[in-house]
Amino acid sequence: MELALFLAEPPGRRLGSIQQLRWVDVWFDCSIVHWRAEAGTKGYKWDVPMPADFFETVRGFQRALGAVGGCVFAAPKARDGIMDGQLFDKWLSVAERKAELPKLERGL
């Protein structure tokens, strides 16, 4: 879940958008993260340019996870589905505590 913390910081996306991110949405070749309209609360798509070091770190997480495609945060027992929101929040809370991050008002 360290990857979720990493993804949440620079673009400032909501947890639901991060939870639904797919590996095909991380455009390594042109340094853009594509945030799908259906994953956001307002229904807008966003193509956010990010620096090269951001993509190096994300690629490192991808290698460590052995991920090739599908959801970045896949359901543990069903690789073709998105992780349940409650489980995602739980794992993110654990990662937040381990990283010793201060508790943010109204959120993880």
Side-chain angles (χ1 to χ4, degrees), residues 1-107:
M1 285 316 286
E2 293 85 6
L3 176 56
L5 288 175
F6 180 75
L7 290 171
E9 196 267 323
R13 303 303 300 171
R14 293 183 172 270
L15 292 181
S17 294
I18 295 168
Q19 176 190 354
Q20 295 179 55
L21 189 66
R22 298 178 178 278
W23 287 111
V24 297
D25 297 328
V26 182
W27 301 343
F28 293 99
D29 58 336
C30 57
S31 300
I32 290 176
V33 177
H34 172 73
W35 298 97
R36 296 170 182 257
E38 61 270 19
T41 56
K42 298 193 183 214
Y44 297 120
K45 74 172 186 77
W46 297 93
D47 294 337
V48 181
M50 299 299 292
D53 60 335
F54 172 88
F55 288 95
E56 289 173 22
T57 302
V58 172
R59 181 69 83 192
F61 277 112
Q62 187 182 30
R63 284 187 189 115
L65 294 168
V68 176
C71 298
V72 174
F73 302 101
K77 294 183 181 176
R79 282 303 197 188
D80 58 343
I82 297 168
M83 182 182 289
D84 173 72
Q86 291 179 332
L87 180 59
F88 183 81
D89 289 352
K90 178 183 173 185
W91 284 9
L92 193 55
S93 293
V94 170
E96 201 175 48
R97 278 194 301 278
K98 284 184 179 180
E100 299 180 359
L101 295 172
K103 177 78 174 130
L104 298 175
E105 186 177 329
R106 298 184 318 205

